[in-house]
Amino acid sequence: MATTLDVFDRKLLAEVQRDAQLPQNELGVRGNLSTAAVNRRLRRLAEDGVIDRYAAIVSPEKVGCPLTIVSMVEVESEQIDLLDSMKRTFEQCPQIQQCYYVAGEWDFVLILTVRDMEQYTDLTRQLFFSNNNVKRFKTLVSMSRVKVGLGVPVDIAE
Amino acid sequence: MATTLDVFDRKLLAEVQRDAQLPQNELGVRGNLSTAAVNRRLRRLAEDGVIDRYAAIVSPEKVGCPLTIVSMVEVESEQIDLLDSMKRTFEQCPQIQQCYYVAGEWDFVLILTVRDMEQYTDLTRQLFFSNNNVKRFKTLVSMSRVKVGLGVPVDIAE
DNA sequence: TCTGAAAATGGACCTTT
DNA sequence: AAAGGTCCATTTTCAGA
């Protein structure tokens, strides 16, 4: 599962999570490796799935999605096929950035990015009100995106 | 605020959010642009802050952080300096991937990625129990990361 | 839009542990 | 064998005509 990562790998991962555009020679300087070694390691990390993918992170405000919303959903039944169908619906909705199936007071936590409240209202109709398996949901409107990322801690210090 | 984006920009953003490693000539083919045009547009999108940054997305499981947790926090006082201090604490905690300051039943929503429950317990001590301004918090443990990303919808269809 | 220079990537090959 | 380093070919980026 957790591949063995040495200090060099961890350093690389830390850098490249922050800025994937750093050229391999610069990564080499920072991590005390030759460019070729950096190249090999990055390739291996990608092959092993440690690096899942590279992505451009776009500013929601700049593309007309200034509103971030957290929704929590409780379902009526946890029957597998009903859950799967909900998961698929959530996955496919472009406004849903993230969906977690959770244990506790709620069943799903969703992070959405939308144009405005009207669009969110529309989405609640499509996703929640028109779905018989949604028992109730709660909406938390984000006033400030204090920290947003997918960075995973890689503990440079062994 | 929302820069004007034409169909070409939107197409580029859609592609590059999914895979930032596509070479510009390939992006050109997909978006019906010359390589040079792709190059200029990507540069402009980055300069304008539409593309915030490029990042490698690392698999939490593969680096020993298999547990995703959603925490919700209610504060005692919303005094500005107390809030700011909390925000800074949350920002600096490497296990906190995301922090939203929200309106509604709770004040903060946090997404954490941790090694195990023990580490989470430790963090609750540091972040919540030892902070006088935390009135209460709730923990939702993720059983499945159904959808995880920071992708913003860019509506190819104008 | 095309052309070409500069930069970055990634393979070949040899060396070290 | 496994991983590092140097060197070189190929690919990609990116600016000027």
Side-chain angles (χ1 to χ4, degrees):
Chain A
M1 177 116 318
T3 326
T4 326
L5 303 170
D6 62 18
V7 201
F8 297 105
D9 288 326
R10 290 175 189 279
K11 175 67 174 165
L12 281 180
L13 288 174
E15 295 289 353
V16 97
Q17 284 193 89
R18 235 180 298 124
D19 181 0
Q21 283 203 309
L22 291 169
Q24 296 176 353
N25 66 23
E26 174 60 23
L27 290 170
V29 172
R30 300 194 189 187
N32 278 99
L33 283 172
S34 70
T35 306
V38 170
N39 188 288
R40 277 190 295 261
R41 278 169 183 269
L42 286 178
R43 160 182 311 283
R44 190 172 53 71
L45 290 167
E47 271 167 7
D48 296 350
V50 177
I51 294 175
D52 180 55
R53 55 192 250 270
Y54 293 86
I57 310 228
V58 333
S59 156
E61 297 83 15
K62 294 291 175 74
V63 298
C65 280
L67 201 54
T68 298
I69 288 177
V70 181
S71 308
M72 289 168 301
V73 179
E74 186 186 354
V75 301
E76 205 68 64
S77 147
E78 305 213 38
Q79 214 180 295
I80 296 291
D81 53 325
L82 291 176
L83 282 184
D84 282 349
S85 141
M86 285 185 77
K87 288 183 185 179
R88 249 175 289 118
T89 308
F90 292 152
E91 271 167 31
Q92 281 160 16
C93 174
Q95 282 77 26
I96 297 181
Q97 287 191 327
Q98 295 162 61
C99 169
Y100 303 95
Y101 177 54
V102 299
E105 188 189 333
W106 299 93
D107 296 304
F108 287 100
V109 174
L110 309 176
I111 311 281
L112 294 99
T113 179
V114 291
R115 209 162 44 229
D116 49 32
M117 260 304 170
E118 194 191 325
Q119 185 179 31
Y120 180 65
T121 310
D122 280 354
L123 283 171
T124 59
R125 267 197 267 283
Q126 287 174 46
L127 298 169
F128 306 148
F129 287 113
S130 71
N131 185 323
N132 288 326
N133 200 34
V134 171
K135 183 186 276 182
R136 65 185 182 117
F137 71 96
K138 185 183 287 286
T139 299
L140 302 171
V141 178
S142 169
M143 296 181 289
S144 156
R145 295 160 69 243
V146 178
K147 180 175 187 176
V148 181
L150 296 175
V152 178
V154 282
D155 281 346
I156 293 302
E158 278 277 83
Chain B
M1 178 113 314
T3 324
T4 326
L5 302 170
D6 63 17
V7 199
F8 297 106
D9 287 327
R10 290 176 189 279
K11 176 66 174 167
L12 280 180
L13 288 174
E15 294 290 351
V16 97
Q17 283 192 90
R18 233 177 303 123
D19 182 0
Q21 284 203 311
L22 292 169
Q24 297 177 351
N25 66 25
E26 175 60 23
L27 290 171
V29 173
R30 300 196 189 185
N32 277 98
L33 284 171
S34 70
T35 305
V38 171
N39 188 285
R40 274 190 299 267
R41 279 170 183 267
L42 286 178
R43 163 181 304 284
R44 192 173 51 72
L45 289 167
E47 273 168 5
D48 295 350
V50 177
I51 294 175
D52 180 53
R53 55 191 251 270
Y54 293 86
I57 310 224
V58 170
S59 156
E61 297 83 17
K62 293 290 175 76
V63 298
C65 281
L67 201 54
T68 299
I69 289 179
V70 181
S71 308
M72 289 169 301
V73 179
E74 186 185 355
V75 301
E76 205 68 65
S77 147
E78 304 213 37
Q79 214 180 296
I80 296 290
D81 54 325
L82 291 176
L83 282 185
D84 281 350
S85 140
M86 285 184 77
K87 289 183 185 179
R88 247 174 291 118
T89 307
F90 292 152
E91 272 167 31
Q92 281 160 17
C93 174
Q95 283 77 24
I96 297 182
Q97 287 192 327
Q98 295 162 62
C99 170
Y100 303 96
Y101 177 54
V102 298
E105 187 188 333
W106 299 94
D107 296 304
F108 287 100
V109 174
L110 309 176
I111 311 281
L112 294 99
T113 179
V114 292
R115 206 161 47 229
D116 50 31
M117 261 304 169
E118 194 190 327
Q119 185 178 31
Y120 179 67
T121 309
D122 280 353
L123 284 172
T124 60
R125 271 199 218 63
Q126 287 174 46
L127 298 168
F128 307 147
F129 287 112
S130 72
N131 184 324
N132 289 326
N133 200 36
V134 171
K135 184 188 274 181
R136 64 184 183 118
F137 71 95
K138 185 183 285 284
T139 299
L140 302 171
V141 178
S142 169
M143 294 180 290
S144 156
R145 296 158 69 243
V146 178
K147 181 177 187 175
V148 180
L150 296 176
V152 177
V154 282
D155 280 345
I156 292 305
E158 275 279 82

